[in-house]
Amino acid sequence: MTVAVMTVAVATSLMEWIEMRQNFKNATLMMAGLGLIFPVANARAVTVDSTSTPFTVNDPGSFSPVCEVSSVDQIIRGTVDDQLFQRDIYYIGVTDATGTIGLNNLGLPNPQQIRSLQVGVTTVALGFIDRADLNSPKFMTIWEGIPDVGNSGSFRPGAVLAQIPIPASVILANCAGSNQTPSANAGADIGNVVPGSLVTLDGTASTDPDNDALTYSWVQTSGPAVTLDDATSPTPSFTAPGGAGSTPITFQLVVNDGTVSSVADSITISFLDNIATAQAQAGEFMVARNALLLAHQPDLQRRIDRLNGTARGGSANVAGVSLPPATRLPLAVSAFNGNIAANTSLAAARGTGTVSGRWDIWAEAYLVDHRFGTRNGDAAIIYGGVDYAISPGLLVGVLGQYDHVEADSMVTTGVLDGEGWMVGPYATARLAPNLYADVRAAWGKSDNRISPFGSYVDTFDTERVLLGATLTGEFEPAPNFTIRPEIALHWIKDRQQSYVDTPGSMIPAQSFELGQLSFAPRAMYSFETANGSRIRPFVEARGAYDFGDRLGVLAKRTHARVEGGVDLLTSAGLRLSASGFLDGIGDSTWRASGVRANVAYTF
């Protein structure tokens, strides 16, 4: 620590000024030397003249942290002649004109503001000059030391013996140069910021030892370029960029107290990867939807019945118990394991016998509750079409499909759903008396919504194509009891188009393919009512093997599906069918359950 010595020599003329004081008219002031030592940065000598007494300040210098003495390492040393006011104990400090002690730079009284000085003692801590109030008059004040009554051997400050003004020029010269460097604090690093969100920096923890007002300067030093709303604010903001991924952004903060700038402090902000997150979530959704579409194909039994010319009738079945239908009721309904299925073919109300109509219009709907991993949702898949019997062994037709799939109950997003359509031809042929082949193809698109982080919502489109082929046998081991084994191969490809998300990033295109090979024996028992209607309850078990290039949402490639319901057929050509199903058996990551209803009319 550099030390400067302040020596005050009080001349004879000071006696006249002191004699004016009533209690010390005859006092003789002799101060051979009073040494006051301050820590300084740069030594220099200044001569100060008071109105009554000239004295010299040697090496006043600059002070730290402010121009004050507030700790043991900032000592004022003094040597007092025993004739000073003819007292043994004195008190000395820095005050204002009223003799009031100052406050430190925190606005609190300095406990070392006034210190006693005993004859023959050379070390004492004095008060301070606060840099925050340089322009107010300051005085070197000396008090007499008087015995503390009731406390033997102790003293306390008494009457003021002298107040020597400290000129403002000395204060400014000494204290203005005692500035300390402020400290910048850019705040703690910020992680996992959602792209597109508002990020606010916080430099309010920056400090200045002198309690000076600070100015702020923020500069970006790395990462994708962003724009601060006010780079001179202690709390500027910017919009988190998209596409940053693993590339963080770094800012540096420098503060200035009006004299000197701080060392730069840095903060690093890292971001969630909106591109990778959107791609992953969109991909999982598309694969899950494709699995639902492949598992919920139009019921082939209607077309086989068409080629057989099977009579239709109306009835209902609940929990395996047949309910008598109303005469010419064009409806077949069943309830199984909490799921309801219905099926019809609209040519029912016209009597009995086989149906010879060449045209058939039909509609079929699935309502599905599904779960893929942690993602739950609902789906509706609706088919409609018309077909024409070219010959007793061949029919051709065209169908349209609409699907709406939701997966809103997700861990990392609030919105993930889509609706789409497909349209295409199909054909069913009788290859042998008990062997049928069916083929179909469809093309379409979908519109989808996605919210990767539960904040902003984007949309994307897909294009898709589906191909399918089925080979079905039909055997009757007992009267009215039919076994229908089936082997099917279906394949779908869904291509997501690229799009620009809300943060401004390009989400690349991606494609997903899923195929399914399945084997499904169905058992049916049919009986006729008095009016010629036919009721046919059925159960079916299907084993499926999934294949494709990206099956992240399917833990296993194999699973099972069960379905049960009833068909209602009339000779007039009206057909109703309803069933309930449970899919995903054997795969812990996904489930699908729901109901299917079918209505058709042959004419």
Side-chain angles (χ1 to χ4, degrees):
M1 179 188 302
T2 306
V3 180
V5 179
M6 176 187 294
T7 303
V8 180
V10 182
T12 305
S13 58
L14 180 60
M15 294 177 60
E16 298 176 358
W17 178 76
I18 298 174
E19 287 176 355
M20 296 174 60
R21 308 185 70 85
Q22 182 175 357
N23 295 330
F24 304 100
K25 293 181 180 180
N26 299 320
T28 301
L29 175 62
M30 296 182 62
M31 183 177 291
L34 175 60
L36 304 179
I37 301 176
F38 291 84
V40 299
N42 301 299
R44 59 184 181 273
V46 179
T47 299
V48 181
D49 293 322
S50 70
T51 56
S52 59
T53 304
F55 61 95
T56 300
V57 178
N58 291 325
D59 298 331
S62 60
F63 306 94
S64 174
V66 292
C67 190
E68 64 174 280
V69 177
S70 60
S71 61
V72 296
D73 60 350
Q74 294 175 305
I75 298 296
I76 297 177
R77 301 180 186 280
T79 302
V80 182
D81 187 270
D82 59 5
Q83 296 301 311
L84 178 62
F85 296 115
Q86 299 181 349
R87 296 289 189 274
D88 293 328
I89 299 295
Y90 302 95
Y91 287 85
I92 189 168
V94 176
T95 70
D96 60 13
T98 66
T100 302
I101 62 173
L103 301 177
N104 62 18
N105 62 321
L106 299 179
L108 302 174
N110 189 340
Q112 296 179 326
Q113 180 64 28
I114 301 176
R115 288 301 185 187
S116 62
L117 189 63
Q118 187 173 0
V119 171
V121 177
T122 60
T123 299
V124 66
L126 187 61
F128 64 91
I129 299 173
D130 190 347
R131 282 197 331 110
D133 189 26
L134 299 183
N135 295 320
S136 298
K138 303 294 188 301
F139 295 85
M140 189 72 73
T141 301
I142 302 175
W143 296 264
E144 67 172 324
I146 61 176
D148 188 3
V149 179
N151 193 359
S152 177
S154 297
F155 295 82
R156 58 184 177 82
V160 174
L161 301 180
Q163 278 190 325
I164 304 174
I166 304 176
S169 60
V170 174
I171 297 174
L172 294 175
N174 295 346
C175 297
S178 63
N179 183 52
Q180 287 197 106
T181 302
S183 176
N185 188 332
D189 292 342
I190 304 174
N192 297 324
V193 175
V194 174
S197 63
L198 190 67
V199 181
T200 300
L201 306 177
D202 189 353
T204 57
S206 300
T207 59
D208 181 67
D210 308 323
N211 205 33
D212 292 331
L214 298 176
T215 58
Y216 300 79
S217 176
W218 296 87
V219 176
Q220 183 179 350
T221 58
S222 68
V226 297
T227 301
L228 294 175
D229 59 354
D230 184 359
T232 63
S233 168
T235 55
S237 299
F238 68 94
T239 299
S246 59
T247 304
I249 289 179
T250 300
F251 285 94
Q252 284 189 345
L253 171 64
V254 174
V255 295
N256 186 285
D257 64 358
T259 303
V260 64
S261 295
S262 68
V263 174
D265 186 42
S266 297
I267 180 175
T268 299
I269 304 99
S270 58
F271 307 89
L272 296 172
D273 192 335
N274 59 309
I275 296 178
T277 301
Q279 278 195 301
Q281 291 186 6
E284 291 181 357
F285 174 69
M286 292 165 64
V287 171
R289 181 172 59 188
N290 289 343
L292 290 173
L293 295 181
L294 292 187
H296 299 85
Q297 296 291 319
D299 187 20
L300 180 58
Q301 188 61 47
R302 181 194 63 83
R303 281 168 275 177
I304 295 176
D305 288 342
R306 282 263 286 147
L307 294 179
N308 285 337
T310 304
R312 280 95 171 158
S315 89
N317 182 286
V318 177
V321 178
S322 177
L323 304 180
T327 302
R328 310 180 70 77
L329 177 67
L331 177 65
V333 180
S334 73
F336 175 76
N337 194 26
N339 297 306
I340 300 175
N343 198 333
T344 189
S345 185
L346 286 181
R350 299 187 321 196
T352 61
T354 60
V355 178
S356 59
R358 286 176 174 261
W359 291 95
D360 194 58
I361 57 175
W362 60 275
E364 186 170 342
Y366 287 92
L367 297 179
V368 185
D369 178 76
H370 63 85
R371 174 178 60 84
F372 288 87
T374 59
R375 298 159 175 79
N376 300 318
D378 300 313
I381 304 172
I382 301 173
Y383 294 97
V386 58
D387 51 57
Y388 177 75
I390 297 177
S391 68
L394 176 65
L395 65 84
V396 295
V398 62
L399 67 80
Q401 170 198 315
Y402 169 81
D403 56 90
H404 180 83
V405 180
E406 296 181 352
D408 292 342
S409 301
M410 297 180 63
V411 175
T412 57
T413 184
V415 176
L416 185 56
D417 57 34
E419 58 182 9
W421 58 270
M422 285 193 288
V423 63
Y426 62 89
T428 306
R430 187 191 341 239
L431 303 179
N434 297 315
L435 184 63
Y436 304 87
D438 181 85
V439 293
R440 63 168 294 217
W443 297 266
K445 295 184 178 182
S446 73
D447 301 317
N448 310 273
R449 298 188 307 158
I450 183 172
S451 177
F453 306 107
S455 51
Y456 59 86
V457 179
D458 293 317
T459 61
F460 66 91
D461 301 327
T462 73
E463 298 176 346
R464 51 193 180 176
V465 58
L466 181 145
L467 301 174
T470 305
L471 193 63
T472 305
E474 194 169 66
F475 308 97
E476 191 171 340
N480 298 323
F481 181 70
T482 303
I483 299 295
R484 196 200 78 180
E486 173 187 295
I487 184 169
L489 176 64
H490 291 90
W491 173 85
I492 186 171
K493 180 178 181 180
D494 206 2
R495 183 180 185 276
Q496 171 217 309
Q497 299 178 358
S498 62
Y499 67 96
V500 177
D501 68 358
T502 298
S505 300
M506 175 64 71
I507 308 300
Q510 53 184 341
S511 295
F512 299 92
E513 298 181 21
L514 181 64
Q516 186 178 93
L517 178 64
S518 64
F519 174 73
R522 174 180 289 197
M524 303 178 290
Y525 181 80
S526 63
F527 56 91
E528 292 189 6
T529 64
N531 65 352
S533 298
R534 176 173 293 187
I535 300 172
R536 185 174 59 195
F538 67 89
V539 292
E540 178 182 287
R542 181 180 298 271
Y545 172 77
D546 298 313
F547 60 92
D549 53 358
R550 306 176 81 169
L551 298 177
V553 299
L554 305 176
K556 295 183 178 180
R557 291 183 177 270
T558 59
H559 64 274
R561 168 191 172 98
V562 295
E563 182 175 359
V566 64
D567 299 327
L568 170 65
L569 308 98
T570 72
S571 60
L574 182 65
R575 169 194 176 98
L576 294 175
S577 178
S579 63
F581 59 87
L582 175 63
D583 205 348
I585 300 172
D587 190 333
S588 61
T589 61
W590 81 280
R591 286 284 189 277
S593 60
V595 297
R596 176 181 62 85
N598 180 292
V599 59
Y601 179 65
T602 303
F603 60 97

